[in-house]
Amino acid sequence: QKEVEQNSGPLSVPEGAIASLNCTYSDRGSQSFFWYRQYSGKSPELIMSIYSNGDKEDGRFTAQLNKASQYVSLLIRDSQPSDSATYLCAVFNTGNQFYFGTGTSLTVIP
Amino acid sequence: DAGVIQSPRHEVTEMGQEVTLRCKPISGHNSLFWYRQTMMRGLELLIYFNNNVPIDDSGMPEDRFSAKMPNASFSTLKIQPSEPRDSAVYFCASSLPGTGFNEQFFGPGTRLTVL
């Protein structure tokens, strides 16, 4: 079982819709969770971090964490074509190890 | 402000040759991370340093890989001898004191092709 799993997609949503990206992790004791965005041919950039159960909002982005289900998600409201990218979930686990998922490719259709 | 600087941006070499990748972290950052990204395996942490000291190198795939950080402003990742399966994009990232993995800033990457 992989430490962090994501649906590779591609996920396509129309402009203005809500994009929902999901991630599961295997280490139940993990405490830190991150979402990175990576445009094609570019480096990853951090967009959200979350440490507690519940929702965390930042502009059009909302991260949701459910530790009981070992599940973290990212919602993008009012999706724009500029949001088209690969979204990487990352987890810092109890063994002080840091893992990325393989990413979900998102395409926002104008 | 200059971000993380990596060189070279592209490297093409032949199997068996030595490859050295270079990274200059953001000034004031005290943690440095080396990653490798491939389509098959995604983004993998190879090694990270804190205050120039290697903390965890469990991600280094084998003895052909080595990394050094002789000072706060420079790190190298060396592959000797290189093999075609080492072809990947190698990223360096750095973070501020006290933030560790929580606020990493990535460099532009080095695309390595081993023929």
Side-chain angles (χ1 to χ4, degrees):
Chain A
Q1 182 184 8
K2 291 183 179 180
E3 295 289 334
V4 181
E5 300 214 45
Q6 297 181 252
N7 187 327
S8 63
L11 174 66
S12 294
V13 299
E15 184 174 354
I18 296 175
S20 178
L21 303 158
N22 305 313
C23 172
T24 59
Y25 58 94
S26 61
D27 183 346
R28 179 173 290 278
S30 298
Q31 294 295 320
S32 305
F33 308 87
F34 311 91
W35 283 99
Y36 283 77
R37 177 177 60 199
Q38 187 175 24
Y39 292 113
S40 181
K42 302 296 184 181
S43 55
E45 57 178 328
L46 179 68
I47 53 173
M48 290 285 289
S49 58
I50 187 166
Y51 308 101
S52 303
N53 272 332
D55 295 0
K56 179 181 178 181
E57 186 174 318
D58 184 0
R60 296 187 295 110
F61 298 96
T62 300
Q64 299 176 317
L65 175 61
N66 183 327
K67 291 185 178 180
S69 300
Q70 294 174 238
Y71 179 94
V72 57
S73 64
L74 180 70
L75 301 179
I76 306 174
R77 291 182 300 282
D78 188 23
S79 296
Q80 301 297 308
S82 59
D83 295 326
S84 298
T86 295
Y87 289 81
L88 303 168
C89 173
V91 175
F92 189 59
N93 71 11
T94 53
N96 288 335
Q97 294 176 312
F98 189 73
Y99 292 99
F100 277 94
T102 52
T104 298
S105 175
L106 172 67
T107 299
V108 180
I109 303 167
Chain B
D1 284 343
V4 175
I5 299 172
Q6 292 187 246
S7 65
R9 294 293 307 276
H10 300 273
E11 176 82 20
V12 180
T13 190
E14 293 188 345
M15 183 174 62
Q17 296 298 305
E18 177 178 298
V19 174
T20 299
L21 311 180
R22 297 173 176 80
C23 175
K24 177 178 170 57
I26 295 172
S27 178
H29 285 197
N30 74 331
S31 294
L32 184 139
F33 312 83
W34 281 102
Y35 291 89
R36 176 175 68 176
Q37 188 172 38
T38 61
M39 288 294 293
M40 289 297 296
R41 300 175 66 88
L43 193 59
E44 302 172 283
L45 177 65
L46 301 178
I47 185 172
Y48 75 94
F49 295 84
N50 198 37
N51 293 322
N52 313 338
V53 176
I55 303 300
D56 184 359
D57 65 354
S58 59
M60 297 285 263
E62 48 197 275
D63 292 345
R64 298 184 297 107
F65 286 69
S66 62
K68 294 182 180 180
M69 192 165 186
N71 58 60
S73 59
F74 183 66
S75 178
T76 60
L77 178 68
K78 185 177 294 186
I79 308 172
Q80 166 63 18
S82 58
E83 297 183 3
R85 61 192 168 119
D86 301 330
S87 298
V89 179
Y90 290 81
F91 288 105
C92 175
S94 69
S95 64
L96 282 165
T99 62
F101 288 99
N102 296 351
E103 291 283 347
Q104 296 178 73
F105 294 84
F106 281 75
T110 295
R111 182 173 295 276
L112 173 65
T113 302
V114 183
L115 303 174

